[in-house]
Amino acid sequence: MKIDRRVLINFDWVIPLLILSLCAVGLVNLYSACSSVSNGNTTAFYLKQLYWIGLGLVAMILCFAVDYRLIVRYGYVLYGISVALLALLFVYGEITHGSQRWLVLGGFSFQPSELVKLTMILALTKYIDERNVGTAFSLPALLGPFLIVMLPALLILKQPDLGTALFLVLLFVSIILFAGIRMRAFVEMCVAGIALLPVLWFAMKDYQKERLIMLINPERDPLGAGYHIIQSIIAVGSGGLLGKGYLKGTQSQLKFLPEQQTDFVFSVFAEEWGFVGVVFVLLLFLSLILWSLNIGRRARDFSGVLLAFGATMIFFWGVFINIGMILGVLPVVGIPLPLMSYGGSCLVVLMMAAGLLMNISMRRFVLKS
Amino acid sequence: MANRHGKLNRQEPSDFRGRFVVAGCIVFFAFFLLLGRVWYLQVLKGGELRERSENNRIRVQEIKPLRGLILDSQRNILVDNNASFDIALIPDEAGSVDGVIASLRNLYEERNIAYTGVPDPPMVRKRFLPVTLERDVTWDKLALVEMNSTMLPGIIIDVVPVRNYTMGPALAHVLGYVGEISLNELLSPTYREYRSGSLVGKAGIEKVMDRRLRGKSGGAQVEVNVAGQVIDVLARIDPKPGCNVVTTLDRDLQQVCWDSFDKPAGAVVVMDPSDGSILAMVSKPSFDSNLFNRGINAMDWEKFSTDSMAPFKNRAVSGLYPPASLFKLIIAAASLDRGLITGDETIFCRGAITLGDRDFRCWKREGHGALDLHQAIVQSCDVFFYTLGLQLGIDDIAEYAVQFGLGVPTGIDMPGERGGLVPTSAWKRERFGEPWQRGETVSVSIGQGFLNATPLQLARAFSAIANGGTLYKPRIIRQIESSSGEVLEVFPARTQGHLPLSQGHLDRLKKALYGAVNEPRGTGRALRREERDVFGKTGTAQVISMPDDDDEESEKTETPFRFRDHALFVCSVPYDDPRITVMVVAEHGGHGGSAAAPIARKIVDWYMEHRPPVDVSAVDGGTPGGES
């Protein structure tokens, strides 16, 4: 593999710039979110996050150094490895908060369900690129992609982590709609989905049903999720136009959220930086997403197009669901905010996705020839 | 989106450009929505929400459900709930936790009241939930705290329902007690839906029926102002009270059993032989379940847990005793059923049998002379049953013992039930790697040796003889009712097997048991009532095996307590249509006829006087013909 000089000339500076800006904002915010958690190892959180950013940069470089077509070619292998890791969880997984999500490898704990988001997109890209480009999906043709998604989604559901499982399905639906689907197949898919709901409902155990109801209607659990939503809304709202100032958020400093360094990290930010801060961060995210979509738009081959779109969707859905959740308009499903929430595996995977986007961006001229 | 339906021509990547634009628009729109919501919250409602964040607090109150009642069969209350008051602290509202605790202590010191709570309450993750400081406080403390509430920000008074066990130690083993869920329980899948800090049944019916009794917590989100007063209830879910458990017990009979049992240790089981219902169950020594209500104090716990008499053990279902002479009934049944005897032939007892170079004595040294089965049971002759046992062999004996319900737990709804042991030659080989000895069969023939059983198993086996051969599953829960009285679940009587005996053989046994109580030479003379309606069997279980040793009959007052024999007695009454079976085990009580039977006598007398049969025609409890 020879590296074309044009690849370096066309290096995409915008993506790393935006990614690092968001990481920096996230790090600063994480310091505040953790300063209130009064158990000794508070510093550990943002320091650890800093290490993860370093590790993410390395992963990012690896992801743009190798031609993305080569990476896509090994899509199934990478997908297979990450699904195997998921399955391995049931044997070696660490249990936290009642679910088995973590794999511990030499001191580092790692969440295979994050990795699978990316490798699933690689596998879907390869599958669609080889078989379905140019033909809008019919229902039978959807079977392959469907299986690719459902295998990890079911494994994740078993952990149990409903939020991430739904996230995979959401990615799948976006990509299929984007790749093109026949109207009839689309209607059939919707009907099948709706018809399957009651079946699923009866197959579920009582406590699972209860959990699902809670998800849709958190007010039913005023001691748990419902409380957090109200507190989150108060936190965001009390930030006002200009915010209460860094490290001065009363709602967040009062440690009302058990997950304020992860899922609810943005309510801390919104309280302390106000509307102005929120607009700033939303603009950063919007720029990142639109820029990424533009990379896809300019890509010269199908795998580039699909991969760019998929990678972008990881960012988009993460931002939309998480912020929607802390604003009280979407259910609390436990999806972290990309780049700002504490969490190593999530961060590294997102930076890998960013690396792939740069990869596609840099190689568009090479491919032209 | 050109070429959407093109099947033959592959699309160009450039064909997707339009779709990227569409996607971009959707993203833009989504962000616009989010921004709109932020604008609404932060700019339009910002002032209001800021005020709320500064002046007001949302507080979460858990509303604990009332635990279900436990009732006896006549719906007398065995367990209900009382109110107890806790002083708790909400860390979020206290400002300085240490400061508030200090002012609370000062307040107490002024009145010379001791602060009994934790000096440093553990810091928890949910700082908006109350941490209990002092449990079960007295009225003077309560009044003091209430009056000075403005000086004590974050201090609240929690009303906690506590269990009230109306019978105290008399029923402690059956009802059990409740306590805070332990870490081990929390981690086990059985308790998946329990939270830390929740109360859970730890023993007895409280444990077995916990899921039914506990009910479901409700909760409320309330908004309080700086003074801690509730100004708005944002959401509320009512708690669901637990279900009531109706048992088969008879409270008064239980009390009589407890009062009658005057020995330091042992058990009483009273069963209705017609369906296996438990009417009373006593285990001694006991404890008071009420002590556990608000967490048992360390001293009491120390006292109980180190007590060598194991007061927590429910001896009725977990105590293993040699069935002693009670087992002769099973040998008799096996011999009759196998056709070894018809019952009329006699065996001569010279006071011992010799096996190899060893003598196995009868309890009566001078021997009983020639007796038939009837007299052998009446006088509880050992030699008679040694002889039969040897002819049957251990494996046949075991087969019959199992059919009488020994060797496996009965399946009663009580935690910690044990199954006892019915030895076989295969068992011995596996356990010790040695073949079975005939001498061991001799021991088993009179219910000694490796053999042991729980009082409950023995009561059930005897009930089966009394009721004409049906082995019932012992039943202690009659039904479950909702708090409003609706019957949710009924526990019917369940048959677990039938004795392998013909009616004729059963009658023969029953008649002999009648003789054991009512004939002049019977070992159970203590139960010989004016009405002549009791039939039963004594047993004296050797604690240390001394097959060749002293006279079993002699009073053992000089023997150290722990080496004294266990006294057993079981009987049913009335003869024709038995309504109760009473099983008594007095640990180290001495002889069954003199130590256990008088206890049974008191129970039977009380029952027959105070619990007349509902059916008038059955009052006239007939007696069998020949009495001597």
Side-chain angles (χ1 to χ4, degrees):
Chain A
M1 185 188 72
K2 79 175 204 290
I3 293 191
D4 198 301
R5 218 167 53 84
R6 283 171 296 176
V7 169
L8 298 177
I9 292 171
N10 289 297
F11 187 79
D12 191 325
W13 289 104
V14 178
I15 294 279
L17 203 72
L18 285 171
I19 292 280
L20 287 177
S21 311
L22 282 163
C23 284
V25 173
L27 210 55
V28 167
N29 185 50
L30 202 58
Y31 179 84
S32 171
C34 295
S35 64
S36 59
V37 181
S38 55
N39 47 5
N41 58 352
T42 50
T43 51
F45 274 123
Y46 66 89
L47 273 182
K48 266 196 202 159
Q49 184 82 341
L50 197 58
Y51 298 146
W52 280 112
I53 291 172
L55 199 68
L57 279 173
V58 176
M60 193 164 153
I61 290 166
L62 284 176
C63 281
F64 71 68
V66 184
D67 192 322
Y68 66 88
R69 286 165 301 178
L70 189 70
I71 297 178
V72 170
R73 194 178 306 157
Y74 288 102
Y76 292 160
V77 178
L78 295 169
Y79 168 81
I81 291 171
S82 53
V83 171
L85 286 175
L86 267 182
L88 207 64
L89 278 183
F90 294 104
V91 190
Y92 296 110
E94 286 266 298
I95 300 175
T96 52
H97 300 294
S99 79
Q100 220 162 4
R101 301 182 187 178
W102 302 90
L103 208 58
V104 178
L105 298 167
F108 274 103
S109 49
F110 171 75
Q111 244 176 316
S113 56
E114 292 293 336
L115 183 64
V116 98
K117 287 179 188 167
L118 194 61
T119 57
M120 182 196 83
I121 285 170
L122 285 172
L124 279 179
T125 299
K126 183 174 164 67
Y127 187 93
I128 297 170
D129 182 38
E130 284 174 359
R131 296 169 190 246
N132 280 82
V133 169
T135 65
F137 277 108
S138 64
L139 207 56
L142 269 178
L143 186 68
F146 183 73
L147 291 179
I148 289 178
V149 176
M150 286 324 278
L151 180 61
L154 288 177
L155 283 172
I156 291 169
L157 199 61
K158 194 97 178 60
Q159 290 180 352
D161 181 357
L162 187 63
T164 309
L166 284 177
F167 196 92
L168 289 193
V169 174
L170 215 50
L171 285 177
F172 165 71
V173 171
S174 327
I175 291 172
I176 292 303
L177 288 180
F178 178 79
I181 179 169
R182 291 186 197 171
M183 186 52 89
R184 201 180 135 199
F186 179 69
V187 172
E188 282 167 344
M189 199 170 78
C190 292
V191 170
I194 292 165
L196 217 65
L197 283 181
V199 179
L200 245 142
W201 183 255
F202 285 113
M204 278 192 300
K205 297 192 177 96
D206 275 350
Y207 77 96
Q208 288 172 318
K209 286 183 192 169
E210 207 157 299
R211 204 175 287 176
L212 205 69
I213 292 170
M214 214 87 91
L215 195 80
I216 296 159
N217 184 7
E219 281 73 25
R220 284 179 60 120
D221 180 18
L223 303 177
Y227 178 86
H228 296 142
I229 286 189
I230 290 185
Q231 291 293 2
S232 177
I233 288 174
I234 292 174
V236 172
S238 64
L241 192 62
L242 297 173
K244 294 178 181 168
Y246 187 54
L247 295 175
K248 289 188 182 133
T250 53
Q251 282 293 110
S252 39
Q253 302 298 338
L254 65 72
K255 315 111 202 158
F256 64 94
L257 299 169
E259 303 290 340
Q260 63 173 311
Q261 73 277 16
T262 56
D263 295 351
F264 283 88
V265 82
F266 197 63
S267 33
V268 177
F269 182 84
E271 183 183 19
E272 296 185 347
W273 299 88
F275 186 67
V276 174
V278 172
V279 168
F280 174 70
V281 167
L282 283 182
L283 279 179
L284 283 180
F285 274 122
L286 186 62
S287 314
L288 178 70
I289 291 165
L290 291 181
W291 184 265
S292 304
L293 286 176
N294 196 41
I295 289 175
R297 197 177 68 87
R298 290 187 299 176
R300 297 291 157 161
D301 69 337
F302 293 108
S303 56
V305 165
L306 291 168
L307 188 56
F309 182 78
T312 312
M313 283 302 110
I314 299 182
F315 285 97
F316 170 69
W317 285 119
V319 172
F320 186 71
I321 295 175
N322 179 275
I323 295 185
M325 174 181 84
I326 68 135
L327 297 179
V329 288
L330 290 179
V332 178
V333 285
I335 297 290
L337 182 62
L339 306 171
M340 286 182 69
S341 283
Y342 172 75
S345 355
C346 180
L347 188 75
V348 170
V349 168
L350 286 165
M351 290 178 87
M352 283 164 73
L356 287 175
L357 284 164
M358 291 165 69
N359 197 333
I360 298 163
S361 173
M362 285 151 59
R363 288 189 168 80
R364 64 181 189 272
F365 298 107
V366 184
L367 282 166
K368 198 175 188 177
S369 52
Chain B
M1 295 197 196
N3 240 344
R4 183 187 282 186
H5 298 294
K7 277 184 183 171
L8 299 170
N9 305 326
R10 283 176 66 93
Q11 288 168 301
E12 289 297 315
S14 55
D15 294 340
F16 281 90
R17 286 187 179 169
R19 294 185 194 182
F20 275 109
V21 175
V22 173
C25 291
I26 293 173
V27 167
F28 201 84
F29 181 67
F31 271 72
F32 186 77
L33 284 182
L34 291 181
L35 208 64
R37 173 74 176 169
V38 177
W39 171 265
Y40 169 76
L41 287 181
Q42 295 198 305
V43 180
L44 297 185
K45 297 194 78 176
E48 186 191 318
L49 289 172
R50 173 167 288 204
E51 196 179 309
R52 217 173 180 182
S53 80
E54 281 163 8
N55 297 328
N56 299 309
R57 292 280 156 80
I58 311 277
R59 179 193 280 180
V60 174
Q61 294 175 334
E62 185 181 2
I63 307 173
K64 295 207 171 94
L66 281 180
R67 206 171 160 85
L69 309 178
I70 303 180
L71 309 167
D72 82 349
S73 59
Q74 300 305 308
R75 315 194 71 79
N76 294 308
I77 289 175
L78 302 175
V79 189
D80 61 359
N81 302 292
N82 280 344
S84 147
F85 298 91
D86 282 1
I87 291 178
L89 172 83
I90 299 174
D92 267 357
E93 289 172 23
S96 152
V97 170
D98 294 337
V100 172
I101 293 179
S103 38
L104 184 67
R105 299 183 99 150
N106 285 338
L107 207 58
Y108 283 174
E109 268 167 34
E110 286 170 23
R111 311 282 166 105
N112 285 322
I113 307 175
Y115 175 78
T116 54
V118 275
D120 291 303
M123 275 303 114
V124 284
R125 275 154 69 99
K126 288 188 176 172
R127 288 178 50 97
F128 54 85
L129 290 180
V131 181
T132 304
L133 295 180
E134 285 185 284
R135 288 176 186 280
D136 204 10
V137 295
T138 51
W139 282 102
D140 49 341
K141 269 188 192 174
L142 214 59
L144 197 63
V145 170
E146 191 67 66
M147 264 163 37
N148 295 286
S149 63
T150 48
M151 287 166 56
L152 302 166
I155 295 275
I156 58 162
I157 289 162
D158 238 356
V159 186
V160 189
V162 296
R163 292 303 249 179
N164 174 33
Y165 298 90
T166 57
M167 297 188 70
L171 197 50
H173 295 97
V174 173
L175 297 179
Y177 56 93
V178 294
E180 209 163 274
I181 190 163
S182 70
L183 190 62
N184 280 339
E185 284 167 331
L186 266 180
L187 294 176
S188 91
T190 333
Y191 293 96
R192 186 170 40 211
E193 69 264 40
Y194 290 63
R195 294 162 177 268
S196 74
S198 47
L199 285 183
V200 60
K202 296 281 190 181
I205 292 177
E206 292 274 25
K207 179 172 180 159
V208 177
M209 289 288 133
D210 191 65
R211 231 156 266 278
R212 295 296 210 157
L213 288 165
R214 64 194 288 243
K216 211 171 165 200
S217 279
Q221 269 186 70
V222 295
E223 205 171 337
V224 292
N225 62 15
V226 275
Q229 290 161 325
V230 175
I231 51 175
D232 194 11
V233 177
L234 300 177
R236 183 189 155 93
I237 299 172
D238 288 324
K240 277 223 298 268
C243 299
N244 296 339
V245 171
V246 181
T247 63
T248 59
L249 298 166
D250 178 330
R251 187 182 63 175
D252 300 333
L253 180 67
Q254 177 75 27
Q255 191 64 49
V256 169
C257 292
W258 172 257
D259 293 340
S260 309
F261 194 91
D262 49 4
K263 299 287 185 281
V268 177
V269 174
V270 182
M271 181 184 261
D272 179 347
S274 69
D275 67 354
S277 296
I278 303 296
L279 304 179
M281 184 183 271
V282 164
S283 175
K284 241 184 169 177
S286 189
F287 58 93
D288 189 350
S289 301
N290 291 307
L291 286 177
F292 292 84
N293 261 334
R294 304 310 318 277
I296 188 166
N297 69 46
M299 241 168 58
D300 285 341
W301 177 253
E302 181 76 14
K303 198 180 86 193
F304 281 127
S305 56
T306 57
D307 191 335
S308 63
M309 299 286 283
F312 289 130
K313 178 166 150 185
N314 183 353
R315 287 165 157 78
V317 300
S318 315
L320 295 179
Y321 304 93
S325 299
L326 273 49
F327 196 70
K328 290 172 182 169
L329 297 173
I330 293 173
I331 300 287
S335 308
L336 287 169
D337 191 54
R338 279 285 150 94
L340 217 60
I341 51 168
T342 62
D344 297 328
E345 48 283 87
T346 57
I347 292 175
F348 188 83
C349 167
R350 63 169 171 85
I353 62 162
T354 309
L355 203 66
D357 54 354
R358 209 164 141 196
D359 270 359
F360 289 87
R361 289 219 183 113
C362 186
W363 63 266
K364 194 171 180 185
R365 284 186 168 189
E366 61 274 28
H368 288 94
L371 352 80
D372 61 0
L373 180 67
H374 183 88
Q375 278 305 316
I377 290 176
V378 168
Q379 300 182 38
S380 201
C381 172
D382 290 341
V383 166
F384 189 91
F385 290 98
Y386 291 155
T387 316
L388 293 181
L390 282 171
Q391 288 183 42
L392 284 165
I394 184 62
D395 291 333
D396 275 12
I397 295 176
E399 199 186 310
Y400 280 89
V402 168
Q403 294 192 63
F404 271 81
L406 305 190
V408 282
T410 65
I412 190 177
D413 285 321
M414 276 280 131
E417 194 198 0
R418 298 182 67 179
L421 177 65
V422 174
T424 60
S425 54
W427 169 84
K428 172 105 190 273
R429 215 175 306 117
E430 191 175 306
R431 178 84 163 69
F432 296 103
E434 286 171 22
W436 184 266
Q437 304 292 326
R438 272 164 62 81
E440 290 164 338
T441 308
V442 172
S443 299
V444 168
S445 301
I446 57 157
Q448 298 281 160
F450 296 114
L451 190 71
N452 59 34
T454 64
L456 180 67
Q457 285 175 324
L458 297 174
R460 178 171 72 154
F462 194 84
S463 293
I465 295 174
N467 69 23
T470 309
L471 207 59
Y472 285 103
K473 177 180 172 181
R475 174 177 80 138
I476 198 157
I477 312 288
R478 180 181 293 265
Q479 60 190 39
I480 309 276
E481 296 175 358
S482 72
S483 56
S484 53
E486 182 194 350
V487 177
L488 300 177
E489 189 179 352
V490 176
F491 292 69
R494 285 213 347 236
T495 306
Q496 278 180 328
H498 292 278
L499 300 189
L501 281 179
S502 70
Q503 194 56 47
H505 291 158
L506 266 173
D507 289 344
R508 210 176 251 279
L509 282 185
K510 228 172 133 177
K511 220 164 174 175
L513 291 166
Y514 181 83
V517 171
N518 296 297
E519 286 175 26
R521 273 177 293 179
T523 47
R525 290 179 301 270
L527 266 289
R528 185 166 157 186
R529 287 154 41 89
E530 228 167 85
E531 293 84 354
R532 301 278 198 276
D533 52 359
V534 180
F535 60 107
K537 184 78 198 78
T538 56
T540 305
Q542 288 174 349
V543 173
I544 36 176
S545 136
M546 299 174 286
D548 218 2
D549 205 23
D550 284 294
D551 185 356
E552 201 184 307
E553 177 78 323
S554 73
E555 284 301 309
K556 300 263 174 169
T557 39
E558 68 284 354
T559 322
F561 181 75
R562 65 200 166 91
F563 294 136
R564 275 183 231 164
D565 295 339
H566 295 322
L568 279 70
F569 187 79
V570 63
C571 66
S572 284
V573 65
Y575 184 85
D576 278 347
D577 185 17
R579 287 163 50 219
I580 53 166
T581 297
V582 179
M583 170 76 215
V584 177
V585 178
E587 282 184 19
H588 314 292
H591 189 260
S594 56
I599 297 170
R601 170 78 192 242
K602 286 183 206 162
I603 296 167
V604 166
D605 283 348
W606 183 90
Y607 190 85
M608 295 311 281
E609 187 188 340
H610 292 90
R611 293 286 181 267
V614 188
D615 186 359
V616 186
S617 63
V619 168
D620 172 355
T623 55
E627 235 191 67
S628 53

